[in-house]
Amino acid sequence: MAGCVWAVTPKISEPRAVVLFLHGGAYVGNITKMHWDLVGKLVDKLNALVVVPDYPLAPENTWRETYEFVDKLYGMLLEKYSDKKFVFIGDSAGGGLALGFAQKLKDGNKKLPEHIVLFSPWVDVSMENPEIANVESKDVILTVKGLKAAAEKYATGLDLKDWHVSPIYGDFKDFVPVSIFTGTHDILNPDARKLRDKLREQRVLCNYFEYDGLFHDWVILTFLRESKDALEKLKNILSGL
């Protein structure tokens, strides 16, 4: 049900941080059981309060309504948990939204999270990276045609290379640390590499983890050895918050 927000808390201890988790689904698909499995692992691994919004989706809504929803929610969370540190985590389209929303906060001189975590992020909805052609046949999940169709619905009225929908084209000056997890058989892997390079060129701390042979959004399959490894790496990265 669009507009719902869930807050999942650790069973025993006081949460160390607040995680805003933005789910994937190409901006047209709802949160899935696999996403909830990942949320449960994040709560336990990070000892964090994980907030999961069912944000507005296309084609009924566009990027504008999605941003308005997340902006309002984040303001409420900052007020409610003013003593906590924040982390944004997103998979696939949720990763693109997390990155773009952080850029919006930076442009508005608003409080940024301490860290941004991107799992198989969709950071360029134009899908014009020529390297994608070398990966598409290996990706068992996504196609360029399907992603372009979803992008047109989500980005209605906006250039596909506008940073609101394709945050790879945004400005990362004075940005917060970013951790990227991707697989070499992911159609979005070429843009994950491009994002890594751009972040490092602009002197942003970027942890980059690439898993050979893995497909799009593999981390939500929490039973995979590689998913467990990624979550352990993430635990170590965020342990200093």
Side-chain angles (χ1 to χ4, degrees):
M1 182 177 179
C4 289
V5 178
W6 296 269
V8 187
T9 60
K11 292 180 180 179
I12 302 175
S13 58
E14 176 73 13
R16 295 176 54 251
V18 176
V19 170
L20 177 59
F21 177 78
L22 299 171
H23 70 83
Y27 300 114
V28 297
N30 288 312
I31 191 168
T32 68
K33 179 185 181 301
M34 291 177 290
H35 287 111
W36 284 116
D37 291 341
L38 176 59
V39 167
K41 297 294 184 183
L42 291 171
V43 171
D44 293 340
K45 276 284 184 185
L46 305 180
N47 189 31
L49 167 68
V50 181
V51 178
V52 186
D54 185 16
Y55 57 82
L57 299 172
E60 293 80 10
N61 303 278
T62 70
W63 65 275
R64 194 179 299 278
E65 289 77 32
T66 301
Y67 267 78
E68 288 175 354
F69 181 89
V70 176
D71 196 24
K72 183 177 179 181
L73 172 61
Y74 184 57
M76 294 170 62
L77 292 174
L78 286 177
E79 185 175 343
K80 185 173 182 178
Y81 302 104
S82 58
D83 60 329
K84 301 292 185 185
K85 293 185 177 180
F86 280 75
V87 176
F88 291 175
I89 299 181
D91 72 292
S92 193
L97 179 56
L99 193 64
F101 180 61
Q103 289 175 333
K104 181 178 183 295
L105 293 173
K106 184 174 76 74
D107 280 3
N109 293 314
K110 296 183 179 179
K111 180 178 173 58
L112 287 163
E114 303 293 323
H115 204 104
I116 299 172
V117 181
L118 308 176
F119 297 124
S120 300
W122 192 18
V123 294
D124 183 356
V125 301
S126 76
M127 301 300 292
E128 290 185 4
N129 188 335
E131 295 298 321
I132 289 174
N134 300 324
V135 187
E136 185 173 13
S137 63
K138 301 174 184 177
D139 192 320
V140 298
I141 308 294
L142 300 176
T143 64
V144 170
K145 181 179 179 181
L147 288 174
K148 282 186 172 181
E152 290 289 348
K153 295 173 183 176
Y154 176 65
T156 300
L158 199 65
D159 189 306
L160 292 182
K161 291 188 177 182
D162 186 290
W163 62 262
H164 289 87
V165 293
S166 294
I168 197 168
Y169 297 107
D171 178 21
F172 296 102
K173 183 180 179 182
D174 301 322
F175 210 59
V176 298
V178 178
S179 292
I180 303 170
F181 294 82
T182 182
T184 59
H185 287 188
D186 180 357
I187 200 172
L188 305 181
N189 173 257
D191 283 331
R193 292 179 176 182
K194 186 177 176 181
L195 175 62
R196 171 201 62 194
D197 294 344
K198 185 169 183 178
L199 288 169
R200 291 176 177 173
E201 286 169 4
Q202 296 193 22
R203 301 186 182 278
V204 176
L205 176 61
C206 176
N207 304 301
Y208 181 83
F209 304 100
E210 186 173 276
Y211 291 74
D212 188 49
L214 282 192
F215 45 86
H216 178 69
D217 221 6
W218 48 272
V219 76
I220 67 174
L221 300 178
T222 56
F223 56 84
L224 290 178
R225 172 176 54 83
E226 293 87 351
S227 181
K228 294 175 181 177
D229 179 74
L231 292 174
E232 190 63 30
K233 283 185 169 65
L234 184 56
K235 177 183 177 181
N236 293 333
I237 289 169
L238 299 180
S239 62
L241 292 183

